[in-house]
Amino acid sequence: MGMKATFGRYIEVDSFLHHLDARAKILSITLYTVIIFGANNFWTTALLFAFTFLIFWLTGVRLRYIFGSIRYALHMVLFVFLLHILTVKTGVVLWDFGWIEIYQAGVISGFYMGVRLLIIIGISSILTITTPPMQITDGLVSLLYPFRKIGFPVHEWALMLSLALRFIPMLSDEMNRIAKAQAARGLDLRLGTFSVRQRIHLATVFLIPLFAQAFRSADMLALAMDARGYETGRSRTKARQFHWRTQDTLVILTVVGLGIGIWFLRDS
């Protein structure tokens, strides 16, 4: 029942990606996400898989930590796959189970969409694994700074995203503590031994203390920000200044080159 999520958790390793400018990583991942939706055949998908595994290797982090953040999204991927199978009604009929008909186009589109979702989740976890939350916040503020001229609350939006990323691993750790505490009290956590009603009751056993701890942490964070004189809409200095280097430009150009390759290999 315990859960050890790596999404949102920074892992300090001396690697190539860790030394990149946070702005370069944010821009590269945003561009890569757009490129992912251009892959619509076997060769473009295989190229994306190869490039994604190369990025995983460049993190210097064990692959099992990265796959840990993807594993918990498999239910979402399966749901998207089934949704496409049940809604796309074009092409050759593969199976006919009365009122349920499965078409070839539905299976293909569901497969490609599931693969895209997996890659997006994996590549997004790379940003949080290789970049501290404060650097992500400062990078977003720097990239979105021109939008302040039209009244967009750049600092506030970036702060909310940073806090959300911080809370993901915190809630994961709290879930593990609750599971260990309940197991120490003699609660059997093997879901296969529970009925549907018992599983619902088991969910409340975890969710109530989890939400209570989340509200306590949010309240403590608000008090800490208030004690430090935090006010919205005010400009702030930064302890760490960004420095764009040649390797950051090369990363952007590499992703652009990948996008050009995907464009020529994709089906029209």
Side-chain angles (χ1 to χ4, degrees), residues 32-104:
Y32 191 60
T33 302
V34 176
I35 293 173
I36 287 171
F37 286 95
N40 61 357
N41 58 31
F42 172 80
W43 295 111
T44 54
T45 304
L47 182 59
L48 284 178
F49 257 111
F51 190 79
T52 303
F53 271 99
L54 174 63
I55 296 174
F56 289 170
W57 178 74
L58 289 175
T59 61
V61 180
R62 293 182 181 179
L63 291 180
R64 66 185 183 90
Y65 288 110
I66 301 175
F67 293 150
S69 61
I70 302 176
R71 181 163 57 92
Y72 296 105
L74 292 179
H75 295 88
M76 185 189 308
V77 174
L78 180 60
F79 173 77
V80 170
F81 178 70
L82 293 177
L83 187 64
H84 276 259
I85 288 179
L86 297 176
T87 56
V88 177
K89 302 293 184 181
T90 56
V92 180
V93 177
L94 298 179
W95 293 282
D96 186 357
F97 302 103
W99 61 277
I100 299 179
E101 294 181 341
I102 299 178
Y103 289 78
Q104 182 180 13

Side-chain angles (χ1 to χ4, degrees), residues 199-220:
R199 292 188 183 189
I200 295 175
H201 175 71
L202 182 63
T204 61
V205 170
F206 283 88
L207 291 179
I208 292 176
L210 182 64
F211 276 100
Q213 179 60 33
F215 285 128
R216 282 195 297 267
S217 299
D219 186 56
M220 292 175 61

